[in-house]
Amino acid sequence: NPLRGYAYDSFNADVLQSASFKNGKVVFASGAEYRILVLPLKHQLNPNQYYTETSLAKILELVNAGALCIIGDKPQFKTGLKADEKLFNHVVEAIWGGTFKNIKVAGSYYEFKNSGNGKFIKAPFLPQDFSFL
């Protein structure tokens, strides 16, 4: 139960490209809607946290539009046969760079930063809800 009772789905990079931000939610072409995006931490299927620049650019676009996204460690590697190193570095810096602020929730501190109309929160995120935002 990684999100302690919250319902969640996983999707691939192709599905991500169909997403938009509407009425406070990330909405997919299938009609699925989500209030929060989570980029997974290191795990067996992605131990080096590879991402494409197009996936990260889409995440940044959604957050700038108003989405909330929980992020893990900064990726060190890009993937894809046609990877654009300059774009990858730009998007990684836009997401993980800059100043994160500390916020105290239930006695613990968490790091977040505003990006456009949305927010990035650094994982791990342990509070039971997002009411403090």
Side-chain angles (χ1 to χ4, degrees), residues 83-95:
D84 181 332
E85 179 102 23
K86 186 176 179 181
L87 178 58
F88 178 81
N89 291 335
H90 171 76
V91 176
V92 165
E93 181 60 26
I95 294 173

Side-chain angles (χ1 to χ4, degrees), residues 71-91:
I71 58 175
D73 294 331
K74 178 178 172 179
Q76 302 299 310
F77 307 100
K78 63 189 173 318
T79 188
L81 296 174
K82 298 179 182 180
D84 181 332
E85 179 102 23
K86 186 176 179 181
L87 178 58
F88 178 81
N89 291 335
H90 171 76
V91 176

